[in-house]
Amino acid sequence: MSILSKRVSTNPCLDPKGFFGIDEACLSILNEYNRSVTFYSYPTECYMCNGVPRTLTAGNNTLVVSTKYPLHMYYKDKNEFCHTTYNFKERGSYGWNISEKQLCSEIYTIHESINSYLPIFVAFAIFVLAIILSILARYIIHVIRRFPFFDTTPIVERTSQSETSYSLGTSRTCTRIRSIDTFRGIAILLMIFVNNGGGKYTFFNHSPWNGLTIADLVLPWFAWIMGVSITISKRSQLRVVSSRCKIILRSLQRSFMLVLLGLMLNSIHTKSLKDLRFPGILQLLAISFFICSTIETVFMKVHSEDDLLQFGRFSKLRDILESWRQWLIVLGIVTTHTLITFLLPVPDCPKGYLGPGGYHHFGNFENCTGGAAGYIDRFVFGSHMYYKTQNPVYGTILPHDPEGILNTLSIILIVYMGVHAGKILLLYYQCNERVVRWLLWSGITGIIAGILCNFDKESGVIPVNKKMMSLSFVLTTSSFAFLLYAIMHFFVDYKRYWSGAPFNYAGLNPITLYIGHTITMGLFPWAWKMPHPTHWSFLTMNLWTTVLWNVIAYWLYMKDIIISI
């Protein structure tokens, strides 16, 4: 548990030449007892945890504490005293006095902290300023072009150029649905940002276990918009290719290529084949893509075959009635996932356990990480899985793969939610019809997710958890995806208030950007080593990495290059 600093060689609280790490502060505990006492602490993020002990000698004890989460503290002499929770700030210096007479004082500030969120405000201000300048520049250019004396090209030449431009074929990018590329671009650029560190802010990194951060939205959103693309591509393929088997074979070929690329990326950090991780993000996307695209290829109708569905009283439910077979299969997969999660017996663990193990539940289930999902992954993959065993909040846990077998089953529902959003896009022609349906799906999935998790982080039947791809997590992220895409479709495709730039450039080649940023992670000019990193330096570097990859995406866009698998 990263509450106290593991650095013992230099204590920046005592050494003027020492350097603070990111999210660190000083706590000086004045022990006025004539003997040693035991100090306990744990972050409030740690649900149902006991404190980690540390001996305090008589006199002043200066500790380095983590500022990522509020810290709950107390000490033991014969009994427990001074239970208190405090939210320390980065690079601040704090004091706490304990004694037999006064027992303990309030925590007081010795030296003020720094504002660790200031870099975000500055970056946001620069981003807004860049948008304003871009809009002004486009407006000025548009106004200038209205005056013919700024164009020195002869009229005959201008006419011939205009005729030539109309005679040429359209580019590969102009025929695409811009809101889809924009949505996908937001997902992939956000993925690049958080994968590179997210400025080392907790909300730009994945949750330690239960809960939801910005980083947790990235993968499900990418899977959701992949589902939208499945609907559009399979509908067009069915109109051209007569054999559905050929379409399924193409999907299998694409999935195989994604799995192979995923294994290649996993091998970057592997010393031997004995430790090669089999699961991965591309593997998870490949399998869910193949299953959903196969279901759609088998059951999708090229045109509505029932006039009652298309024009009659059931037309408002056409998207659901045309895909009831597909929904039965997907709901069967979800039911299977749920039954395995709650009914599969796991040795020495309670049925339906969904926790991280380690310190969770007061350490009673420390070897039950991930419950049934973790047990299956460890049994099937052995050493060929994600082997990180240190959780920043819950301490030492068993290996658990966030892209494991049950998680892959779970994400199929996210992908098919996207498939259904694509059907709404194709079957209904008016913007308000589409937006209303997407908003209804957003509300329904959000309410069901809230009921499952009891609208709380830790309680409820199924808490929101990205690492286990829980059902409430799937529904919550799908709810946000429906909402975001409805907004994008309205502003980008319908009203055309926004072109989708600069995100739509990244959305044209998302897999290329994902593979590229994974291979070049930590390499110059995308990144560089920092001897004494801060939030300022990390945020600057991570934003630079993201911007640079978007510049590469823009170059591909200008060259009309779309690399598809």
Side-chain angles (χ1 to χ4, degrees):
M1 190 184 299
S2 58
I3 303 167
L4 306 178
S5 174
K6 294 181 180 179
R7 296 182 290 110
V8 295
S9 56
T10 58
N11 187 334
C13 303
L14 302 175
D15 185 2
K17 296 182 179 180
F19 292 96
F20 280 95
I22 295 177
D23 294 326
E24 287 186 345
C26 295
L27 175 61
S28 295
I29 303 177
L30 181 59
N31 177 14
E32 295 182 350
Y33 285 84
N34 294 322
R35 57 189 179 277
S36 296
V37 297
T38 306
F39 171 74
Y40 294 85
S41 59
Y42 62 90
T44 54
E45 185 75 10
C46 194
Y47 182 66
M48 298 180 71
C49 293
N50 290 318
V52 176
R54 177 165 178 171
T55 301
L56 298 180
T57 59
N60 193 43
N61 297 264
T62 303
L63 313 174
V64 178
V65 295
S66 172
T67 63
K68 288 184 176 181
Y69 308 103
L71 195 65
H72 186 80
M73 305 172 295
Y74 60 97
Y75 75 92
K76 269 187 181 181
D77 181 22
K78 295 178 181 178
N79 299 307
E80 293 182 4
F81 297 102
C82 300
H83 278 268
T84 186
T85 301
Y86 197 84
N87 190 10
F88 296 99
K89 302 297 183 182
E90 186 176 7
R91 299 195 184 185
S93 183
Y94 303 88
W96 196 40
N97 302 335
I98 58 175
S99 65
E100 288 185 280
K101 296 180 180 179
Q102 192 180 357
L103 287 183
C104 56
S105 65
E106 295 290 329
I107 295 175
Y108 52 90
T109 302
I110 300 174
H111 295 295
E112 290 294 334
S113 61
I114 64 171
N115 186 351
S116 59
Y117 300 108
L118 182 60
I120 297 179
F121 300 142
V122 173
F124 180 75
I126 293 173
F127 180 72
V128 172
L129 180 62
I131 292 176
I132 294 173
L133 292 177
S134 175
I135 295 172
L136 287 175
R138 288 187 179 186
Y139 178 74
I140 292 171
I141 293 172
H142 175 71
V143 171
I144 290 174
R145 284 179 175 175
R146 295 178 63 183
F147 295 95
F149 55 82
F150 281 101
D151 191 354
T152 58
T153 308
I155 296 176
V156 176
E157 219 173 290
R158 268 183 272 163
T159 306
S160 62
Q161 288 176 1
S162 176
E163 291 175 355
T164 305
S165 65
Y166 280 107
S167 64
L168 293 175
T170 57
S171 66
R172 297 177 66 186
T173 58
C174 68
T175 57
R176 298 169 67 92
I177 300 175
R178 189 160 289 184
S179 60
I180 294 178
D181 289 330
T182 304
F183 189 103
R184 191 189 292 115
I186 291 174
I188 191 62
L189 290 177
L190 192 58
M191 184 181 293
I192 291 172
F193 177 67
V194 301
N195 285 355
N196 279 275
K200 296 299 179 181
Y201 290 101
T202 53
F203 44 82
F204 287 141
N205 284 272
H206 296 294
S207 301
W209 200 254
N210 291 338
L212 193 68
T213 66
I214 297 174
D216 295 328
L217 297 171
V218 174
L219 178 58
W221 279 3
F222 194 87
W224 188 90
I225 201 65
M226 181 178 71
V228 177
S229 301
I230 287 174
T231 302
I232 297 170
S233 63
K234 297 309 166 191
R235 181 66 61 97
S236 62
Q237 288 175 23
L238 284 170
R239 288 172 177 168
V240 177
V241 181
S242 58
S243 174
R244 296 183 185 243
C245 291
K246 288 183 179 180
I247 299 175
I248 294 174
L249 287 175
R250 287 181 185 177
S251 300
L252 180 61
Q253 180 183 6
R254 184 173 190 264
S255 299
F256 176 78
M257 289 298 298
L258 287 173
V259 170
L260 182 60
L261 289 170
L263 291 174
M264 290 170 62
L265 293 180
N266 287 352
S267 68
I268 294 175
H269 306 290
T270 302
K271 296 180 180 179
S272 67
L273 290 176
K274 293 181 180 180
D275 301 323
L276 177 63
R277 181 189 175 205
F278 290 163
I281 289 178
L282 292 183
Q283 294 90 312
L284 176 137
L285 292 174
I287 296 171
S288 57
F289 165 80
F290 177 72
I291 292 173
C292 289
S293 62
T294 301
I295 294 172
E296 278 304 292
T297 303
V298 172
F299 295 107
M300 176 182 276
K301 300 175 183 177
V302 182
H303 302 285
S304 182
E305 299 174 3
D306 193 336
D307 289 339
L308 283 176
L309 291 182
Q310 191 167 3
F311 304 108
R313 56 183 177 178
F314 297 109
S315 60
K316 293 184 179 180
L317 299 174
R318 188 165 30 136
D319 54 317
I320 299 175
L321 296 177
E322 280 200 357
S323 56
W324 64 270
R325 299 176 185 85
Q326 294 96 308
W327 272 113
L328 283 180
I329 296 172
V330 172
L331 292 176
I333 294 172
V334 173
T335 303
T336 302
H337 172 275
T338 305
L339 292 175
I340 293 173
T341 300
F342 285 96
L343 299 181
L344 181 71
V346 179
D348 302 321
C349 299
K351 284 185 179 180
Y353 180 74
L354 301 173
Y359 296 127
H360 182 254
H361 213 284
F362 308 109
N364 293 326
F365 310 121
E366 60 180 343
N367 293 322
C368 298
T369 303
Y375 175 72
I376 291 173
D377 290 340
R378 290 187 292 271
F379 179 79
V380 174
F381 296 122
S383 61
H384 299 285
M385 60 180 291
Y386 192 68
Y387 226 79
K388 187 176 180 180
T389 57
Q390 285 299 317
N391 186 282
V393 167
Y394 291 100
T396 302
I397 62 175
L398 292 182
H400 170 257
D401 204 301
E403 284 83 45
I405 295 174
L406 285 191
N407 288 12
T408 302
L409 287 179
S410 185
I411 206 170
I412 290 171
L413 178 58
I414 296 180
V415 177
Y416 199 77
M417 289 282 187
V419 169
H420 195 83
K423 287 186 178 180
I424 293 173
L425 184 65
L426 292 180
L427 293 175
Y428 299 96
Y429 304 112
Q430 293 185 356
C431 179
N432 61 339
E433 288 183 313
R434 295 169 175 172
V435 170
V436 166
R437 281 165 177 80
W438 288 326
L439 293 179
L440 282 173
W441 275 95
S442 175
I444 292 170
T445 52
I447 290 171
I448 296 174
I451 293 172
L452 291 175
C453 69
N454 199 28
F455 293 95
D456 186 69
K457 182 178 178 180
E458 300 290 350
S459 62
V461 180
I462 305 177
V464 174
N465 188 297
K466 187 267 175 189
K467 293 185 184 298
M468 294 192 65
M469 225 53 99
S470 66
L471 182 57
S472 58
F473 171 81
V474 168
L475 294 171
T476 300
T477 53
S478 297
S479 174
F480 286 129
F482 276 112
L483 175 62
L484 179 60
Y485 188 73
I487 296 171
M488 294 238 171
H489 177 73
F490 181 80
F491 284 100
V492 177
D493 293 334
Y494 180 61
K495 290 294 185 179
R496 301 188 180 228
Y497 291 146
W498 178 33
S499 67
F503 303 106
N504 60 311
Y505 308 131
L508 294 169
N509 289 286
I511 299 298
T512 303
L513 265 62
Y514 175 78
I515 294 173
H517 102 273
T518 304
I519 294 174
T520 60
M521 194 176 295
L523 301 179
F524 187 83
W526 291 273
W528 50 88
K529 301 295 182 183
M530 291 177 287
H532 305 295
T534 62
H535 281 300
W536 277 102
S537 59
F538 252 110
L539 184 64
T540 301
M541 184 178 69
N542 298 153
L543 287 174
W544 161 252
T545 304
T546 308
V547 169
L548 184 56
W549 276 111
N550 203 39
V551 170
I552 295 172
Y554 179 72
W555 179 83
L556 293 172
Y557 163 78
M558 293 301 293
K559 295 293 183 180
D560 199 24
I561 298 174
I562 299 177
I563 304 173
S564 57
I565 299 172

